[in-house]
Amino acid sequence: MATVKRDDRLTRSQSFVCVGFAGFFSKTVTSPLEVVKIKSQVGTFHSKRGFWQSFLIIYQNEGLRGFWKGNLASCLRLFPYNAVHLATYRKIVHLHMDELGFISQWRAIFAGGLAGVVAALATYPLEVAETRLIIQNCRQPTYISVAHSLSKIYKNEGLLALYRGFSLTVLGAVPFSVGCYAVYMNLDKLWQEPPVRFTPLQNLINGCLAAGVAQTLSYPFETVKRKMQAQSARLPHFGGVDVHFTGMIDCFIQVIKHNGVLSLWNGLTANTIKIVPYFGLLFTCFEMCKQVCLYRNGYIISPLSYKLTPGVDQSLGPNELEEVKRHLKNRNFGSGDSSLRNRW
């Protein structure tokens, strides 16, 4: 599921930094909703009285700092996740392109889902650390930092504990991809025009809609995954998980048996509310960062507007444009030398 549109006027490193900065900012701003969501999925006492009361209980027990627990682990995960995801996605897409360089929508979404699984595997320990940091009471912490949580989990529970629940990421990728496909295949019917004519606002709405449908379909898998990440006999109250289980299937059984089927969607309200501000900030921050880079590369006259620089071919890549500038500079310098010789 694409969130930002690639611009060939940016270098790869600039695109990477723009996406990373936008993700960092949007995750930080929406962190309180993420904390409430994960606590609801795990089933800690904070979430027993409903969505709005969860905020009050967290504030009373842990203060404002409690709403940003685990945010550093989540943000640190962004950069390696994006790097692995992008590299894997390009490789898969290249393998599935036809002779004309075309790939179907379904194959592109499948490539995105598979790339997401590979990227999740590479960064999964940071996700486990995020969950552990969120479920603990920051006034009586078991883990002091991201590095401390990773080392302590590895030391006390072994390497496999850092990948506990990963199989649910693979399983959840199936309904997630189906949800994305269902939305993107019907966008032309929704807007009554072809996708190539969509405005930035329409693309934002499309991203939010696809995320809402895909995440709702795959949500039960994420709920069980969070419970598996959180549960540990070495933590107070077994990590605060509301049911005890011995594995993935047993977790599904125990959750349905004690809390009902709908409890697999606990925290969905926070997750749904988070979608619009998260993607809105993601798009806005990316565009602001992109404007600065385009100004630096010489495509626009100011980082505060998209007014194009006169005489600059916007189809040229950054390296090509730099070569043209260098060539023109050398030619003008040579012309200056010739005129000086003629004067003497």
Side-chain angles (χ1 to χ4, degrees):
M1 180 175 59
T3 53
V4 289
K5 191 173 181 179
R6 182 184 172 186
D7 194 322
D8 291 331
R9 295 174 297 175
L10 302 180
T11 65
R12 288 189 178 183
S13 60
Q14 286 175 334
S15 296
F16 184 70
V17 170
C18 288
V19 171
F21 173 76
F24 187 96
F25 185 78
S26 54
K27 275 184 175 291
T28 300
V29 173
T30 58
S31 180
L33 288 165
E34 182 71 6
V35 169
V36 169
K37 182 196 83 169
I38 291 177
K39 284 183 177 291
S40 298
Q41 288 177 316
V42 173
T44 63
F45 74 93
H46 307 83
S47 60
K48 298 301 182 183
R49 297 184 183 178
F51 174 68
W52 295 111
Q53 285 295 318
S54 297
F55 289 95
L56 181 61
I57 295 172
I58 292 172
Y59 177 73
Q60 289 174 340
N61 284 272
E62 305 180 65
L64 283 175
R65 189 173 61 167
F67 292 110
W68 278 270
K69 295 185 303 180
N71 184 60
L72 180 59
S74 180
C75 291
L76 288 175
R77 184 171 175 254
L78 273 174
F79 292 98
Y81 183 94
N82 286 334
V84 175
H85 187 280
L86 183 60
T88 308
Y89 178 76
R90 284 177 173 171
K91 186 68 175 178
I92 297 172
V93 167
H94 180 73
L95 291 174
H96 287 87
M97 279 182 176
D98 58 20
E99 295 80 3
L100 300 176
F102 176 78
I103 184 171
S104 67
Q105 186 75 42
W106 169 246
R107 287 179 181 270
I109 292 175
F110 170 77
L114 189 56
V117 171
V118 175
L121 176 63
T123 59
Y124 196 78
L126 284 170
E127 186 177 337
V128 174
E130 176 195 6
T131 301
R132 293 289 182 93
L133 289 165
I134 286 175
I135 63 169
Q136 72 174 358
N137 189 324
C138 62
R139 289 177 176 170
Q140 298 174 329
T142 303
Y143 308 109
I144 301 172
S145 64
V146 177
H148 180 252
S149 61
L150 291 171
S151 63
K152 193 167 185 177
I153 293 170
Y154 174 74
K155 181 179 178 180
N156 294 337
E157 303 173 51
L159 179 62
L160 290 180
L162 292 171
Y163 288 90
R164 190 177 296 150
F166 176 75
S167 57
L168 288 149
T169 299
V170 180
L171 294 173
V174 176
F176 187 92
S177 297
V178 170
C180 288
Y181 181 74
V183 171
Y184 281 112
M185 284 296 98
N186 291 281
L187 288 178
D188 53 344
K189 298 176 183 177
L190 174 65
W191 298 111
Q192 299 296 312
E193 59 182 351
V196 292
R197 298 180 60 186
F198 290 164
T199 64
L201 178 60
Q202 286 176 311
N203 284 324
L204 171 60
I205 294 172
N206 296 340
C208 292
L209 185 60
V213 173
Q215 290 177 17
T216 299
L217 291 176
S218 62
Y219 201 82
F221 296 97
E222 188 185 351
T223 296
V224 173
K225 179 181 71 176
R226 293 292 184 181
K227 290 182 187 294
M228 293 185 70
Q229 290 174 343
Q231 181 177 269
S232 173
R234 294 180 177 272
L235 294 177
H237 311 292
F238 281 81
V241 183
D242 55 355
V243 294
H244 295 164
F245 48 86
T246 57
M248 179 184 69
I249 296 176
D250 187 49
C251 185
F252 274 104
I253 294 172
Q254 296 302 325
V255 169
I256 295 172
K257 180 180 177 181
H258 290 91
N259 302 327
V261 176
L262 292 181
S263 65
L264 291 170
W265 280 270
N266 281 349
L268 184 63
T269 301
N271 187 71
T272 304
I273 293 174
K274 175 190 168 188
I275 287 174
V276 174
Y278 178 82
F279 279 96
L281 289 169
L282 188 72
F283 273 90
T284 303
C285 291
F286 178 81
E287 289 300 317
M288 290 174 61
C289 189
K290 186 175 82 170
Q291 279 184 243
V292 173
C293 293
L294 290 178
Y295 171 71
R296 185 181 178 86
N297 293 348
Y299 290 101
I300 57 178
I301 63 173
S302 168
L304 301 179
S305 74
Y306 271 119
K307 189 173 181 180
L308 303 179
T309 303
V312 173
D313 187 351
Q314 300 292 320
S315 65
L316 295 176
N319 296 329
E320 294 171 320
L321 182 59
E322 192 62 32
E323 284 294 327
V324 170
K325 287 181 179 178
R326 192 179 296 112
H327 175 72
L328 292 174
K329 184 178 180 180
N330 291 336
R331 190 174 68 176
N332 292 336
F333 182 74
S335 300
D337 284 347
S338 299
S339 63
L340 284 173
R341 285 194 297 269
N342 291 333
R343 288 175 61 185
W344 287 98

